[in-house]
Amino acid sequence: MTPTSNSMAAAKLPAGAVGLAALLATSAANHFARPAFYYPVVPAAITTASGPLTRDGWVQISGALEFAAAAGLLLPQTRRAAGICTAVMFAGFTAGHLSALKRAFGTEGTKQARIIHSLRLPLQVPLVVWAWRTRQA
């Protein structure tokens, strides 16, 4: 390919895929910069006291998955698979958001946690739909 056709191919990236990739990359970077922000979304039932499946480990794993999803959405050869996998990933994250919401409304929950998790949970639906639509781009 010539330099001009490379830039033309880049210019033809679907806006939905680029936007979702940017959101995923930003969120992924935040997983590593501010991991404690994501701790409430990691259900205690899937964590261990040590090893890779600690709360911190799950945050790092999900951050790495989000980086991989972002990259996959930007490549035409992997966009369909990345869109499907990203939709499944977001659907899977729903369990964590439900767990966080349950704890927020529990005895140790705070008003701020109830607001945050009440807003975060419904965001999963448009994220799943957005990811699913990128598979066709």
Side-chain angles (χ1 to χ4, degrees):
M1 272 186 150
T2 66
T4 303
S5 58
N6 270 339
S7 60
M8 288 180 70
K12 293 183 182 184
L13 284 172
V18 172
L20 185 54
L23 177 76
L24 284 162
T26 301
S27 175
N30 198 45
H31 276 69
F32 295 97
R34 296 182 51 223
F37 177 78
Y38 298 94
Y39 290 169
V41 185
V42 180
I46 64 169
T47 64
T48 58
S50 63
L53 300 182
T54 62
R55 184 156 276 139
D56 196 54
W58 279 112
V59 171
Q60 291 175 6
I61 290 166
S62 62
L65 288 172
E66 289 185 359
F67 271 131
L73 289 171
L74 295 176
L75 300 171
Q77 305 88 328
T78 58
R79 187 170 302 122
R80 179 173 169 72
I84 293 167
C85 291
T86 303
V88 170
M89 178 180 71
F90 284 145
F93 286 172
T94 301
H97 289 289
L98 283 168
S99 176
L101 185 64
K102 181 180 175 183
R103 284 191 310 279
F105 278 91
T107 57
E108 295 183 29
T110 65
K111 183 178 180 180
Q112 181 182 10
R114 287 190 287 277
I115 292 169
I116 290 169
H117 296 295
S118 293
L119 295 173
R120 283 176 86 179
L121 177 62
L123 286 176
Q124 293 308 111
V125 173
L127 288 172
V128 169
V129 171
W130 188 4
W132 188 253
R133 287 184 178 163
T134 63
R135 78 192 197 295
Q136 299 172 343

